[in-house]
Coordinates of all heavy atoms in Angstrom, one line a residue:
M528 N 1.9 26.0 3.9 CA 2.4 24.9 4.6 C 2.9 25.5 5.9 O 3.7 26.4 6.1 CB 3.5 24.2 3.8 CG 4.0 23.1 4.5 SD 5.4 22.1 3.7 CE 5.3 22.4 2.0
D529 N 2.4 24.8 7.0 CA 2.7 25.3 8.3 C 3.9 24.5 8.9 O 4.3 23.5 8.2 CB 1.5 25.3 9.3 CG 0.9 23.8 9.4 OD1 1.2 23.0 8.6 OD2 0.2 23.6 10.3
T530 N 4.2 24.9 10.1 CA 5.5 24.3 10.7 C 5.2 22.9 11.1 O 6.1 22.0 10.9 CB 5.9 25.1 12.0 OG1 6.0 26.4 11.6 CG2 7.1 24.6 12.6
N531 N 4.0 22.5 11.6 CA 3.8 21.2 11.9 C 3.8 20.1 10.7 O 4.3 19.0 10.8 CB 2.3 21.0 12.6 CG 2.3 21.6 13.9 OD1 3.3 21.8 14.5 ND2 1.2 22.1 14.2
A532 N 3.4 20.7 9.5 CA 3.5 19.8 8.4 C 4.9 19.5 8.0 O 5.3 18.4 7.6 CB 2.8 20.4 7.2
V533 N 5.8 20.5 8.1 CA 7.1 20.4 7.7 C 7.8 19.4 8.7 O 8.6 18.6 8.3 CB 7.9 21.8 7.7 CG1 9.4 21.6 7.5 CG2 7.3 22.7 6.6
L534 N 7.6 19.6 10.0 CA 8.1 18.7 11.0 C 7.6 17.3 10.7 O 8.4 16.3 11.0 CB 7.8 19.2 12.4 CG 8.5 20.5 12.8 CD1 8.0 21.0 14.2 CD2 10.1 20.3 12.8
D535 N 6.4 17.1 10.4 CA 5.9 15.8 10.2 C 6.5 15.1 9.0 O 7.0 13.9 9.1 CB 4.3 15.8 10.0 CG 3.7 14.5 10.0 OD1 4.1 13.6 10.7 OD2 2.8 14.3 9.1
I536 N 6.7 15.9 7.9 CA 7.4 15.3 6.7 C 8.9 14.9 7.1 O 9.4 13.9 6.6 CB 7.3 16.3 5.5 CG1 5.9 16.4 5.1 CG2 8.2 15.9 4.4 CD1 5.6 17.4 4.0
A537 N 9.5 15.8 7.8 CA 10.9 15.6 8.2 C 11.0 14.3 9.0 O 11.9 13.5 8.9 CB 11.5 16.8 9.0
A538 N 10.0 14.2 10.0 CA 10.1 12.9 10.8 C 9.8 11.7 10.1 O 10.5 10.6 10.2 CB 9.0 13.0 11.9
V539 N 9.0 11.8 9.1 CA 8.7 10.6 8.2 C 9.9 10.3 7.4 O 10.4 9.1 7.2 CB 7.5 10.8 7.2 CG1 7.4 9.8 6.1 CG2 6.2 10.8 8.0
A540 N 10.6 11.4 6.9 CA 11.9 11.1 6.1 C 13.0 10.5 7.0 O 13.6 9.6 6.5 CB 12.3 12.4 5.5
L541 N 13.1 11.0 8.1 CA 14.2 10.4 9.0 C 13.9 9.0 9.5 O 14.8 8.1 9.5 CB 14.3 11.4 10.2 CG 15.1 12.6 10.0 CD1 15.1 13.5 11.3 CD2 16.4 12.5 9.5
G542 N 12.6 8.7 9.7 CA 12.2 7.3 10.0 C 12.5 6.4 8.9 O 12.9 5.3 9.1
L543 N 12.0 6.8 7.8 CA 12.3 6.0 6.5 C 13.8 5.8 6.2 O 14.2 4.7 6.0 CB 11.7 6.7 5.3 CG 11.8 5.9 4.0 CD1 11.0 4.6 4.1 CD2 11.3 6.7 2.8
A544 N 14.6 6.8 6.4 CA 16.1 6.6 6.2 C 16.6 5.7 7.2 O 17.5 4.8 6.9 CB 16.8 8.0 6.4
A545 N 16.1 5.7 8.5 CA 16.6 4.8 9.5 C 16.2 3.3 9.1 O 16.9 2.4 9.3 CB 16.2 5.2 10.9
K546 N 15.0 3.2 8.7 CA 14.4 1.9 8.4 C 15.2 1.3 7.2 O 15.4 0.1 7.2 CB 12.9 2.0 8.0 CG 12.1 1.1 8.8 CD 10.6 1.0 8.3 CE 9.9 2.2 8.1 NZ 8.5 1.9 7.8
L547 N 15.5 2.1 6.1 CA 16.2 1.6 5.0 C 17.6 1.3 5.2 O 18.2 0.4 4.6 CB 16.0 2.6 3.8 CG 14.6 2.9 3.2 CD1 14.6 3.8 2.2 CD2 13.9 1.5 2.9
A548 N 18.3 2.0 6.2 CA 19.7 1.8 6.4 C 19.9 0.7 7.4 O 21.0 0.0 7.5 CB 20.3 3.0 7.0
A549 N 18.8 0.2 8.2 CA 19.0 -0.7 9.2 C 19.5 -2.1 8.7 O 20.5 -2.7 9.3 CB 17.7 -0.9 10.0
P550 N 19.0 -2.6 7.6 CA 19.5 -4.0 7.2 C 21.0 -4.0 6.9 O 21.7 -4.9 7.4 CB 18.7 -4.4 6.0 CG 17.5 -3.6 6.0 CD 17.9 -2.3 6.8
A551 N 21.5 -3.0 6.1 CA 22.9 -2.9 5.9 C 23.8 -2.6 7.2 O 24.8 -3.3 7.3 CB 23.2 -1.8 4.8
L552 N 23.3 -1.8 7.9 CA 24.2 -1.4 9.1 C 24.2 -2.5 10.1 O 25.2 -2.8 10.7 CB 23.6 -0.1 9.7 CG 23.7 1.2 8.9 CD1 23.1 2.3 9.6 CD2 25.2 1.5 8.7
I553 N 23.1 -3.1 10.4 CA 23.0 -4.2 11.4 C 23.9 -5.4 10.9 O 24.7 -6.1 11.6 CB 21.6 -4.7 11.7 CG1 20.9 -3.5 12.4 CG2 21.5 -6.0 12.4 CD1 19.4 -3.7 12.7
T554 N 23.8 -5.7 9.6 CA 24.6 -6.8 9.0 C 26.1 -6.5 9.1 O 26.9 -7.3 9.5 CB 24.3 -7.0 7.5 OG1 22.8 -7.2 7.4 CG2 25.1 -8.1 6.9
A555 N 26.5 -5.2 8.8 CA 27.9 -4.8 9.0 C 28.4 -4.9 10.4 O 29.4 -5.3 10.7 CB 28.1 -3.4 8.4
L556 N 27.5 -4.5 11.3 CA 27.9 -4.5 12.7 C 28.1 -6.0 13.2 O 29.0 -6.3 13.9 CB 26.7 -3.9 13.6 CG 26.9 -4.0 15.1 CD1 27.9 -3.0 15.5 CD2 25.6 -3.6 15.8
V557 N 27.1 -6.9 12.8 CA 27.2 -8.3 13.3 C 28.4 -9.0 12.6 O 29.2 -9.6 13.3 CB 26.0 -9.0 12.9 CG1 26.1 -10.6 13.2 CG2 24.8 -8.5 13.8
V558 N 28.7 -8.8 11.3 CA 29.8 -9.5 10.7 C 31.1 -8.8 11.2 O 32.1 -9.5 11.4 CB 29.6 -9.3 9.2 CG1 30.9 -9.8 8.5 CG2 28.5 -10.2 8.7
G559 N 31.2 -7.5 11.3 CA 32.4 -6.9 11.9 C 32.7 -7.4 13.2 O 33.8 -7.6 13.6
F560 N 31.7 -7.5 14.1 CA 31.9 -8.0 15.5 C 32.4 -9.4 15.5 O 33.4 -9.8 16.2 CB 30.7 -7.9 16.4 CG 30.8 -8.4 17.8 CD1 31.6 -7.7 18.7 CD2 30.3 -9.6 18.1 CE1 31.8 -8.2 20.0 CE2 30.4 -10.1 19.4 CZ 31.2 -9.4 20.3
T561 N 31.8 -10.3 14.6 CA 32.2 -11.6 14.6 C 33.6 -11.8 14.0 O 34.4 -12.6 14.6 CB 31.2 -12.4 13.7 OG1 29.9 -12.2 14.2 CG2 31.5 -13.9 13.7
V562 N 34.0 -11.1 13.0 CA 35.3 -11.2 12.5 C 36.3 -10.7 13.5 O 37.4 -11.2 13.6 CB 35.4 -10.5 11.1 CG1 36.9 -10.4 10.6 CG2 34.6 -11.3 10.1
S563 N 36.0 -9.6 14.1 CA 36.9 -9.1 15.1 C 37.2 -10.0 16.3 O 38.3 -10.2 16.8 CB 36.4 -7.7 15.7 OG 36.3 -6.7 14.7
L564 N 36.1 -10.7 16.7 CA 36.2 -11.6 17.9 C 37.1 -12.8 17.3 O 38.0 -13.3 18.1 CB 34.8 -12.2 18.1 CG 34.7 -13.1 19.3 CD1 35.2 -12.4 20.7 CD2 33.3 -13.6 19.5
L565 N 36.9 -13.2 16.0 CA 37.7 -14.3 15.5 C 39.1 -13.9 15.4 O 40.0 -14.6 15.6 CB 37.2 -14.7 14.1 CG 37.9 -15.8 13.3 CD1 37.8 -17.1 13.9 CD2 37.5 -15.9 11.9
Q566 N 39.4 -12.6 15.0 CA 40.8 -12.1 14.9 C 41.4 -12.1 16.2 O 42.6 -12.3 16.4 CB 40.8 -10.8 14.2 CG 40.6 -10.8 12.7 CD 40.7 -9.4 12.1 OE1 40.4 -8.5 12.7 NE2 41.2 -9.4 10.9
S567 N 40.7 -11.6 17.2 CA 41.3 -11.5 18.6 C 41.6 -12.9 19.2 O 42.6 -13.1 19.9 CB 40.5 -10.7 19.5 OG 39.2 -11.3 19.7
V568 N 40.8 -13.8 18.9 CA 41.0 -15.2 19.4 C 42.2 -15.9 18.7 O 43.0 -16.5 19.4 CB 39.8 -16.1 19.2 CG1 40.0 -17.6 19.5 CG2 38.6 -15.7 20.1
T569 N 42.3 -15.7 17.4 CA 43.4 -16.3 16.6 C 44.6 -15.5 16.6 O 45.6 -15.9 16.0 CB 42.8 -16.7 15.3 OG1 42.5 -15.6 14.5 CG2 41.7 -17.7 15.3
Q570 N 44.5 -14.2 17.0 CA 45.7 -13.2 16.8 C 46.1 -13.0 15.5 O 47.3 -12.7 15.2 CB 46.8 -13.7 17.8 CG 46.5 -13.6 19.2 CD 47.6 -14.0 20.1 OE1 48.7 -14.4 19.7 NE2 47.4 -13.8 21.4
I571 N 45.1 -13.1 14.5 CA 45.4 -12.7 13.1 C 45.0 -11.3 12.9 O 43.8 -11.0 13.1 CB 44.7 -13.7 12.2 CG1 45.2 -15.2 12.4 CG2 45.0 -13.2 10.7 CD1 44.4 -16.1 11.5
Q572 N 45.9 -10.4 12.6 CA 45.5 -9.0 12.3 C 45.7 -8.6 10.8 O 46.6 -7.9 10.5 CB 46.5 -8.1 13.2 CG 46.3 -8.4 14.7 CD 44.8 -8.2 15.2 OE1 44.0 -7.3 14.7 NE2 44.3 -9.1 16.1
E573 N 44.8 -9.1 10.1 CA 44.8 -8.8 8.6 C 43.7 -7.9 8.3 O 42.5 -8.2 8.7 CB 44.7 -10.1 7.8 CG 44.7 -10.0 6.3 CD 46.0 -9.5 5.8 OE1 47.1 -9.9 6.5 OE2 46.1 -8.8 4.8
V574 N 43.9 -6.8 7.6 CA 43.0 -5.8 7.3 C 41.9 -6.3 6.3 O 40.7 -6.1 6.6 CB 43.6 -4.5 6.7 CG1 42.5 -3.5 6.4 CG2 44.6 -4.0 7.8
T575 N 42.3 -7.0 5.4 CA 41.3 -7.5 4.4 C 40.4 -8.6 4.9 O 39.3 -8.8 4.5 CB 42.1 -8.1 3.1 OG1 42.9 -9.2 3.6 CG2 42.8 -7.0 2.4
L576 N 40.9 -9.2 6.1 CA 40.0 -10.3 6.7 C 38.8 -9.6 7.3 O 37.8 -10.3 7.5 CB 40.9 -11.0 7.7 CG 40.2 -12.2 8.3 CD1 39.8 -13.3 7.3 CD2 41.1 -12.8 9.5
S577 N 38.8 -8.4 7.7 CA 37.7 -7.8 8.2 C 36.8 -7.0 7.2 O 35.6 -6.9 7.4 CB 38.1 -6.7 9.4 OG 38.8 -5.6 8.8
F578 N 37.5 -6.6 6.2 CA 36.8 -5.8 5.1 C 36.0 -6.7 4.2 O 34.8 -6.4 3.9 CB 37.7 -4.9 4.3 CG 37.1 -4.1 3.3 CD1 36.3 -3.1 3.6 CD2 37.2 -4.5 1.9 CE1 35.6 -2.4 2.6 CE2 36.6 -3.8 0.9 CZ 35.8 -2.8 1.2
V579 N 36.6 -7.7 3.6 CA 36.0 -8.5 2.6 C 34.7 -9.3 3.0 O 33.7 -9.2 2.3 CB 37.0 -9.5 2.0 CG1 36.3 -10.6 1.1 CG2 38.1 -8.7 1.3
P580 N 34.7 -9.9 4.3 CA 33.5 -10.5 4.6 C 32.3 -9.5 4.9 O 31.1 -9.8 4.6 CB 33.8 -11.3 5.9 CG 35.2 -11.5 5.9 CD 35.8 -10.3 5.1
K581 N 32.8 -8.4 5.4 CA 31.7 -7.4 5.8 C 31.2 -6.9 4.4 O 29.9 -6.6 4.3 CB 32.4 -6.2 6.5 CG 31.4 -5.4 7.2 CD 32.0 -4.2 7.9 CE 33.2 -4.6 8.8 NZ 33.8 -3.4 9.6
A582 N 31.9 -6.7 3.4 CA 31.4 -6.1 2.2 C 30.5 -7.2 1.4 O 29.5 -6.8 1.0 CB 32.7 -5.7 1.2
I583 N 31.0 -8.4 1.5 CA 30.1 -9.4 1.0 C 28.8 -9.6 1.7 O 27.7 -9.7 1.1 CB 30.9 -10.8 0.9 CG1 32.0 -10.7 0.0 CG2 30.0 -12.0 0.5 CD1 33.0 -11.9 0.0
A584 N 28.8 -9.5 3.1 CA 27.6 -9.6 3.7 C 26.7 -8.5 3.5 O 25.5 -8.7 3.5 CB 27.9 -9.8 5.2
V585 N 27.1 -7.3 3.4 CA 26.4 -6.1 3.2 C 25.8 -6.2 1.8 O 24.5 -5.9 1.7 CB 27.1 -4.8 3.4 CG1 26.4 -3.7 2.9 CG2 27.4 -4.6 4.9
A586 N 26.5 -6.6 0.8 CA 25.9 -6.7 -0.5 C 24.9 -7.8 -0.6 O 23.8 -7.6 -1.1 CB 27.1 -7.2 -1.5
L587 N 25.1 -8.9 0.2 CA 24.0 -10.0 0.3 C 22.8 -9.4 1.0 O 21.7 -9.8 0.6 CB 24.6 -11.2 1.0 CG 23.7 -12.4 1.1 CD1 23.5 -12.9 -0.3 CD2 24.3 -13.5 2.0
A588 N 22.9 -8.7 2.1 CA 21.8 -8.1 2.8 C 21.0 -7.1 1.9 O 19.7 -7.1 2.0 CB 22.3 -7.4 4.1
L589 N 21.7 -6.4 1.0 CA 21.0 -5.4 0.2 C 20.3 -6.2 -0.9 O 19.2 -5.8 -1.3 CB 22.1 -4.5 -0.5 CG 22.6 -3.4 0.4 CD1 23.6 -2.6 -0.2 CD2 21.5 -2.5 1.1
V590 N 20.8 -7.3 -1.5 CA 20.1 -8.1 -2.3 C 18.9 -8.8 -1.7 O 17.8 -8.7 -2.3 CB 21.0 -9.3 -3.0 CG1 20.2 -10.2 -3.7 CG2 22.1 -8.5 -3.8
I591 N 19.0 -9.2 -0.5 CA 17.8 -9.9 0.1 C 16.9 -8.8 0.5 O 15.6 -9.1 0.3 CB 18.3 -10.7 1.4 CG1 19.1 -11.9 1.0 CG2 17.2 -11.1 2.3 CD1 19.8 -12.5 2.0
A592 N 17.2 -7.8 1.1 CA 16.2 -6.8 1.6 C 15.9 -5.6 0.5 O 15.1 -4.8 0.8 CB 16.8 -6.0 2.9
G593 N 16.5 -5.7 -0.6 CA 16.3 -4.7 -1.6 C 14.9 -4.5 -2.1 O 14.4 -3.3 -2.2
N594 N 14.2 -5.6 -2.3 CA 12.7 -5.5 -2.7 C 11.9 -4.8 -1.6 O 11.0 -4.0 -1.9 CB 12.2 -6.9 -3.1 CG 10.8 -6.8 -3.6 OD1 10.5 -5.9 -4.3 ND2 10.1 -7.9 -3.4
W595 N 12.1 -5.1 -0.4 CA 11.3 -4.5 0.8 C 11.7 -3.0 0.8 O 10.9 -2.2 1.0 CB 11.7 -5.3 2.1 CG 11.2 -4.5 3.2 CD1 9.9 -4.5 3.8 CD2 12.0 -3.6 4.1 NE1 9.9 -3.6 4.9 CE2 11.1 -3.1 5.1 CE3 13.3 -3.3 4.2 CZ2 11.5 -2.3 6.1 CZ3 13.8 -2.4 5.2 CH2 12.8 -1.9 6.1
M596 N 13.0 -2.7 0.6 CA 13.4 -1.3 0.7 C 12.8 -0.5 -0.3 O 12.3 0.6 0.0 CB 14.9 -1.3 0.6 CG 15.6 -1.9 1.8 SD 17.4 -2.1 1.5 CE 18.0 -0.5 1.8
I597 N 12.7 -1.0 -1.5 CA 12.1 -0.2 -2.6 C 10.6 -0.1 -2.3 O 10.1 1.0 -2.6 CB 12.4 -0.9 -4.0 CG1 13.9 -0.7 -4.3 CG2 11.6 -0.3 -5.1 CD1 14.4 -1.4 -5.6
S598 N 10.0 -1.1 -2.0 CA 8.5 -1.0 -1.7 C 8.2 -0.1 -0.6 O 7.2 0.7 -0.7 CB 7.9 -2.3 -1.4 OG 8.4 -3.0 -0.1
E599 N 9.0 0.1 0.5 CA 8.8 1.0 1.5 C 9.0 2.4 1.0 O 8.3 3.3 1.3 CB 9.9 0.7 2.7 CG 9.5 -0.4 3.5 CD 8.3 -0.2 4.4 OE1 8.1 1.0 4.9 OE2 7.5 -1.2 4.5
L600 N 10.0 2.6 0.1 CA 10.2 4.0 -0.5 C 9.1 4.4 -1.4 O 8.6 5.5 -1.3 CB 11.5 3.9 -1.3 CG 12.1 5.2 -1.7 CD1 12.4 6.1 -0.6 CD2 13.4 5.0 -2.5
V601 N 8.6 3.4 -2.2 CA 7.4 3.8 -3.1 C 6.2 4.0 -2.2 O 5.5 5.0 -2.6 CB 7.2 2.6 -4.0 CG1 5.9 2.7 -4.8 CG2 8.3 2.4 -5.0
V602 N 6.0 3.2 -1.1 CA 4.7 3.6 -0.4 C 4.8 4.9 0.3 O 3.8 5.6 0.3 CB 4.5 2.4 0.6 CG1 3.6 2.8 1.8 CG2 4.1 1.1 0.0
T603 N 6.0 5.2 0.8 CA 6.1 6.6 1.5 C 6.1 7.6 0.5 O 5.5 8.7 0.8 CB 7.5 6.6 2.2 OG1 7.6 5.5 3.1 CG2 7.6 7.8 3.0
T604 N 6.5 7.4 -0.7 CA 6.4 8.5 -1.8 C 5.0 8.7 -2.2 O 4.5 9.8 -2.3 CB 7.2 8.1 -3.0 OG1 8.6 7.9 -2.6 CG2 7.3 9.2 -4.0
H605 N 4.2 7.6 -2.3 CA 2.7 7.8 -2.6 C 2.0 8.5 -1.6 O 1.2 9.4 -1.8 CB 2.2 6.4 -2.9 CG 2.5 5.8 -4.3 ND1 2.2 6.5 -5.4 CD2 3.1 4.6 -4.5 CE1 2.6 5.7 -6.4 NE2 3.2 4.6 -5.9
E606 N 2.4 8.2 -0.3 CA 1.7 9.0 0.9 C 2.1 10.4 0.8 O 1.1 11.2 1.1 CB 2.1 8.3 2.2 CG 1.6 6.9 2.4 CD 2.1 6.3 3.6 OE1 3.0 6.8 4.4 OE2 1.8 5.1 4.0
L607 N 3.3 10.7 0.5 CA 3.7 12.1 0.4 C 3.0 12.8 -0.7 O 2.6 14.0 -0.6 CB 5.2 12.3 0.4 CG 6.0 12.0 1.6 CD1 7.4 12.1 1.4 CD2 5.6 13.0 2.8
F608 N 2.9 12.2 -1.9 CA 2.1 12.7 -3.0 C 0.7 13.0 -2.7 O 0.1 14.0 -3.1 CB 2.3 11.9 -4.3 CG 3.7 12.1 -4.9 CD1 4.2 11.2 -5.9 CD2 4.4 13.2 -4.7 CE1 5.4 11.2 -6.5 CE2 5.7 13.4 -5.5 CZ 6.1 12.4 -6.2
A609 N 0.1 12.0 -1.9 CA -1.3 12.2 -1.6 C -1.5 13.4 -0.6 O -2.6 13.9 -0.5 CB -1.9 10.9 -0.9
R610 N -0.5 13.8 0.1 CA -0.6 14.9 1.0 C -0.5 16.3 0.4 O -0.8 17.3 1.0 CB 0.5 14.8 2.0 CG 0.4 13.9 3.2 CD 1.5 14.2 4.1 NE 1.5 13.1 5.2 CZ 2.3 13.0 6.1 NH1 3.3 13.9 6.2 NH2 2.3 12.1 7.0
I611 N -0.1 16.3 -0.9 CA 0.1 17.6 -1.5 C -1.0 18.4 -1.5 O -1.0 19.7 -1.2 CB 0.7 17.4 -2.9 CG1 2.2 16.9 -2.8 CG2 0.7 18.7 -3.8 CD1 2.8 16.4 -4.2
P612 N -2.3 18.1 -1.9 CA -3.4 19.0 -1.9 C -3.7 19.5 -0.5 O -4.1 20.7 -0.3 CB -4.6 18.1 -2.4 CG -4.0 17.0 -3.1 CD -2.6 16.8 -2.5
Q613 N -3.5 18.7 0.5 CA -3.8 19.1 1.9 C -2.7 20.1 2.3 O -3.0 21.1 3.0 CB -3.7 18.0 2.9 CG -3.7 18.3 4.3 CD -3.5 17.1 5.2 OE1 -3.1 16.1 4.8 NE2 -3.6 17.3 6.5
L614 N -1.5 20.0 1.9 CA -0.4 20.9 2.2 C -0.6 22.3 1.5 O -0.3 23.4 2.0 CB 0.9 20.3 1.9 CG 1.4 19.2 2.7 CD1 2.6 18.6 2.2 CD2 1.6 19.5 4.1
L615 N -1.1 22.2 0.3 CA -1.3 23.5 -0.5 C -2.5 24.4 0.0 O -2.4 25.5 -0.2 CB -1.5 23.1 -2.0 CG -0.3 22.6 -2.7 CD1 -0.7 22.2 -4.1 CD2 0.9 23.5 -2.7
E616 N -3.5 23.7 0.6 CA -4.6 24.5 0.9 C -4.3 25.2 2.4 O -5.0 26.1 2.7 CB -5.9 23.6 1.0 CG -6.0 22.7 2.1 CD -7.3 21.9 2.2 OE1 -7.8 21.6 1.1 OE2 -7.7 21.5 3.2
S617 N -3.4 24.6 3.2 CA -3.2 25.3 4.5 C -2.2 26.4 4.3 O -1.5 26.7 3.4 CB -2.7 24.2 5.4 OG -1.5 23.7 5.0

């Protein structure tokens, strides 16, 4: 296995990790910003008011995007398994 193959696998892994984390992170960002804006407008500074909606929204995003996330992971795993003979011969 040469250096280019290792770097290619690492790039695929990092891209997949970013793709799989995006739905939860973007949802948490949007909900957190919205709740913070609401808190600053109403001057309510309650900690649970920012945590509970964010946790519910992230859980909902994972339920909605979970099937897509698993299918992306399975496709990438199959592609990596298909590369094994090519990696062993070099």
Side-chain angles (χ1 to χ4, degrees):
M528 186 179 331
D529 59 341
T530 308
N531 290 334
V533 173
L534 290 175
D535 188 39
I536 291 172
V539 168
L541 287 174
L543 181 66
K546 232 192 312 188
L547 294 180
L552 292 178
I553 291 172
T554 302
L556 176 72
V557 169
V558 171
F560 178 74
T561 306
V562 170
S563 295
L564 187 64
L565 178 68
Q566 281 182 327
S567 64
V568 168
T569 60
Q570 294 182 351
I571 299 173
Q572 298 302 323
E573 181 66 32
V574 177
T575 57
L576 186 62
S577 66
F578 177 73
V579 172
K581 200 183 308 182
I583 292 171
V585 168
L587 187 63
L589 289 176
V590 167
I591 292 171
N594 189 27
W595 169 79
M596 294 167 78
I597 290 174
S598 66
E599 285 291 319
L600 191 60
V601 167
V602 166
T603 305
T604 303
H605 283 302
E606 289 173 0
L607 288 175
F608 281 158
R610 282 189 189 175
I611 289 175
Q613 177 190 2
L614 294 173
L615 291 177
E616 76 181 27
S617 62

